[in-house]
Amino acid sequence: MYHVIIPARYASTRLPGKPLQLIAGKPMIQHVWEQARRSAAATVTVATDDPRIVEACKGFGADVVLTRDDHPSGTDRLQEVVSLLGFDDATCVVNVQGDEPLIPPALIDQVAANLLANPSASIATLSEPLNDPAALFNPNVVKLVTDHQGFALYFSRAPMPWCRDAFAESRDVLPSEVPFHRHIGMYAYKVGFLHDYVGWPASPLETAESLEQLRALWFGCRIHVAEACVAPPAGVDTPEDLARVRALLENP
């Protein structure tokens, strides 16, 4: 059994009021909630710091929690919510981003099953093969490497693994024998880990890369990574992304 929590902030530099932007007559957060409800999650709860999002969620029947507005990260917000909901330390929770209106329910189920199947892991997440050289060298695309059991060794915005000889000759084609992977930012956590996480200081690697999951690795936690069972659609970060998703859902 597991639970889904959907963090949804009103403030967004590139798209203010993003969770309430209408898509096919519904606010974006409703689309995310409906997709999560199609998963096997026992409960689906929206977590927000804005009363406007609370009212919208109540309007379509979602469980919603109003959190503090001073959390430094989404993980901190998640920890407040699991505390408010009274989940015990062994409970599995999946963080589904509030700007993923097309998120496949199968991915939500997969990341939860991944954590439950790997009891030594504190976190489970997903990846997909990366075959595009431009994406490998793009710092906005997070890359990862794992060991032979699928446990994360590192996450980075830099290209990795670095193929010394191949890249010395050309960076236009990726070596076919090397496993390159892009990180998919969906996580399943054990509640006990979340309580530990908020008490740890940010690590130098986390600060340098601006990647929260590096704090977990820094403090010795294990993160298990599975290859996504279906290709995840892109989320909504910009007005252009919003127009693309509107076109998909308004003109099926």
Side-chain angles (χ1 to χ4, degrees):
M1 183 178 74
Y2 74 93
H3 304 266
V4 165
I5 298 174
I6 307 172
R9 293 177 62 249
Y10 188 88
S12 171
T13 303
R14 289 181 287 184
L15 192 58
K18 182 163 59 172
L20 299 184
Q21 293 286 338
L22 292 179
I23 302 172
K26 301 176 184 178
M28 185 189 307
I29 189 64
Q30 183 173 353
H31 288 279
V32 181
W33 176 78
E34 289 176 350
Q35 290 298 97
R37 291 267 293 174
R38 295 186 179 103
S39 74
T43 65
V44 178
T45 305
V46 177
T48 183
D49 58 0
D50 194 283
R52 290 166 288 189
I53 297 175
V54 170
E55 289 306 308
C57 289
K58 288 181 177 178
F60 57 80
D63 292 330
V64 59
V65 173
L66 183 64
T67 68
R68 304 199 320 266
D69 61 4
D70 60 348
H71 287 299
S73 73
T75 308
D76 293 271
R77 188 179 312 282
L78 209 66
Q79 187 272 339
E80 181 188 359
V81 176
V82 299
S83 298
L84 291 171
L85 295 177
F87 292 156
D88 64 46
D89 285 357
T91 300
C92 172
V93 295
V94 175
N95 179 358
V96 175
Q97 295 300 322
D99 57 4
E100 300 276 357
L102 302 175
I103 189 71
L107 287 184
I108 303 173
D109 289 336
Q110 183 187 13
V111 74
N114 186 17
L115 182 65
L116 295 171
N118 290 280
S120 67
S122 297
I123 308 174
T125 190
L126 302 173
S127 70
E128 64 178 351
L130 194 162
N131 302 307
D132 177 14
L136 182 71
F137 290 92
N138 182 347
N140 294 317
V141 176
V142 177
K143 281 70 66 174
L144 62 89
V145 291
T146 69
D147 66 14
H148 72 287
Q149 295 179 305
F151 287 97
L153 297 173
Y154 195 63
F155 298 80
S156 183
R157 298 182 183 279
M160 66 175 195
W162 183 261
C163 301
R164 185 192 63 177
D165 295 339
F167 290 158
E169 294 183 8
S170 172
R171 299 182 187 180
D172 296 328
V173 179
L174 300 183
S176 59
E177 70 277 9
V178 178
F180 298 99
H181 284 90
R182 179 181 82 85
H183 180 222
I184 297 169
M186 178 184 291
Y187 298 97
Y189 302 99
K190 291 176 181 173
V191 165
F193 161 79
L194 291 171
H195 295 321
D196 291 338
Y197 181 93
V198 298
W200 295 330
S203 74
L205 297 176
E206 171 192 0
T207 302
E209 298 254 22
S210 190
L211 296 174
E212 292 178 45
Q213 63 269 38
L214 293 178
R215 189 186 311 185
L217 291 182
W218 179 268
F219 284 97
C221 294
R222 305 190 84 190
I223 302 175
H224 195 271
V225 185
E227 188 171 315
C229 59
V230 296
V236 176
D237 290 320
T238 66
E240 293 75 20
D241 294 336
L242 180 60
R244 173 182 50 78
V245 173
R246 279 174 170 160
L248 285 171
L249 294 180
E250 293 173 3
N251 303 289

